[in-house]
Amino acid sequence: MTTAPAPLAAAPDQRLVVAFLALLAGAIAMGVSPVFVRHADVGPFASAFWRAALALPLLAVWARIERPAGAPAPRWNAATLAAGVLFAGDLFFWHLAIMNTTAANATLLATLAPLWVMLASGALLKEPVTRAMALGLAACLLGAALLIGSSFAFAPERLTGDVYGVVTSIFFGSYFIAMRFARRGSTGMTPGLLVYRSSLITAAVLFVVALMLEETILPASLTGIVMLVSLGVVAHALGQGLLAFALGSLSAGFSALVIFLEAVAAAAVGYLFLGESIGPAQALGGAVILAGIYIARPRAAPVPVAPVTAPIRPATPTREAE
């Protein structure tokens, strides 16, 4: 009996596919947040506080459903605490950037977050950055420049706001690292519990910030209430929750590219609901971003196919044997 060599087949990993789809859905959910923020009756720091605070009841239910009956709640860990503080810092400096420079500058500089994540992935997470991920990041940065570049402008009087934009990207990148630390491995925290606990920290930090810097914390209209509840449920509970779920299977470097998807989703939402125009350059930028994410997509490891066994045929009798 002879055995043929086992070929390699790229079998799709269903777990990676589900995580990737969750990442896409989370990016869209987070990308619609500007609509809710714009129509809320409170200031930017107050809306950031309500974003985390109003998501807590739903996240608490999610965390409880995940826990097996009778099982004790896992202990708090440093990565969860860090994630909560870092996300609060991300929202804080993001709003400072918006108030001190143009929205285009703030958005484009914030998209540097995946760069910091990929630079830190090898040193901190021991997760290699593949050539495909590096090429995907380069394409996404080019796409972001096309998407926002026509509105980007440097001016000395906006330098402080531009610096805030860069600081935003550092906080957001560090947030991804902390979330990946908390999620990976057999002892990783479940996504619902992770986002619930980190959101408790985020809400506490931003509540102090809102008390210190905002004149109005409570919304004055029903529309404002609906917008803030939607911000908490859709952008935070759903968006951040799906991101945390994806980080259980996907690397931090690839998952950080979600910020580019947020930019694409925000542009689409602005066009559909806010009357904002999309020109050829913006459309091309969005297409380049999607192409970059496709290039960087995770690949399932090749697995060997079962060997093909060829049966041995009996020898044909010769004339002499007859």
Side-chain angles (χ1 to χ4, degrees), residues 176-235:
F176 271 89
I177 297 293
M179 292 285 280
R180 177 61 174 156
F181 259 119
R183 281 287 287 134
R184 69 179 185 174
S186 59
T187 58
M189 190 171 291
T190 57
L193 183 61
L194 172 58
V195 181
Y196 171 66
R197 287 183 172 178
S198 63
S199 297
L200 282 172
I201 303 300
T202 299
V205 173
L206 292 175
F207 179 66
V208 175
V209 172
L211 284 179
M212 295 174 60
L213 301 178
E214 293 282 21
E215 295 182 359
T216 304
I217 296 179
L218 296 175
S221 68
L222 179 60
T223 299
I225 295 173
V226 171
M227 291 297 103
L228 289 177
V229 171
S230 300
L231 183 65
V233 172
V234 177

Side-chain angles (χ1 to χ4, degrees), residues 69-320:
R75 293 182 178 181
W76 283 75
N77 55 50
T80 303
L81 291 169
V85 173
L86 290 168
F87 193 66
D90 165 61
L91 292 178
F92 175 75
F93 283 102
W94 167 249
H95 289 300
L96 282 180
I98 290 292
M99 291 188 296
N100 288 276
T101 189
T102 64
N105 284 28
T107 302
L108 186 58
L109 292 170
T111 59
L112 293 174
L115 176 61
W116 314 132
V117 175
M118 290 193 186
L119 289 174
S121 289
L124 299 178
L125 295 172
K126 308 303 180 185
E127 294 179 351
V129 176
T130 64
R131 182 179 180 183
M133 290 170 61
L135 290 174
L137 173 62
C140 287
L141 289 171
L142 174 60
L146 290 170
L147 187 66
I148 305 165
S150 60
S151 301
F152 184 89
F154 175 78
E157 64 271 15
R158 292 197 293 264
L159 179 59
T160 300
D162 292 341
V163 171
Y164 288 147
V166 175
V167 174
T168 299
S169 72
I170 295 173
F171 269 94
F172 197 46
S174 301
Y175 168 74
F176 271 89
I177 297 293
M179 292 285 280
R180 177 61 174 156
F181 259 119
R183 281 287 287 134
R184 69 179 185 174
S186 59
T187 58
M189 190 171 291
T190 57
L193 183 61
L194 172 58
V195 181
Y196 171 66
R197 287 183 172 178
S198 63
S199 297
L200 282 172
I201 303 300
T202 299
V205 173
L206 292 175
F207 179 66
V208 175
V209 172
L211 284 179
M212 295 174 60
L213 301 178
E214 293 282 21
E215 295 182 359
T216 304
I217 296 179
L218 296 175
S221 68
L222 179 60
T223 299
I225 295 173
V226 171
M227 291 297 103
L228 289 177
V229 171
S230 300
L231 183 65
V233 172
V234 177
H236 197 81
L238 184 62
Q240 303 298 133
L242 289 173
L243 171 61
F245 173 82
L247 280 167
S249 302
L250 301 175
S251 69
F254 174 76
S255 299
L257 297 180
V258 71
I259 191 172
F260 295 107
L261 288 174
E262 283 189 64
V264 175
V269 168
Y271 173 77
L272 293 173
F273 301 105
L274 301 177
E276 299 176 357
S277 61
I278 294 181
Q282 287 77 23
L284 177 60
V288 172
I289 287 173
L290 295 178
I293 292 172
Y294 178 79
I295 292 171
R297 72 193 186 282
R299 274 83 165 175
V303 296
V305 175
V308 178
T309 302
I312 299 177
R313 296 181 179 181
T316 303
T318 62
R319 179 71 60 182
E320 290 77 5

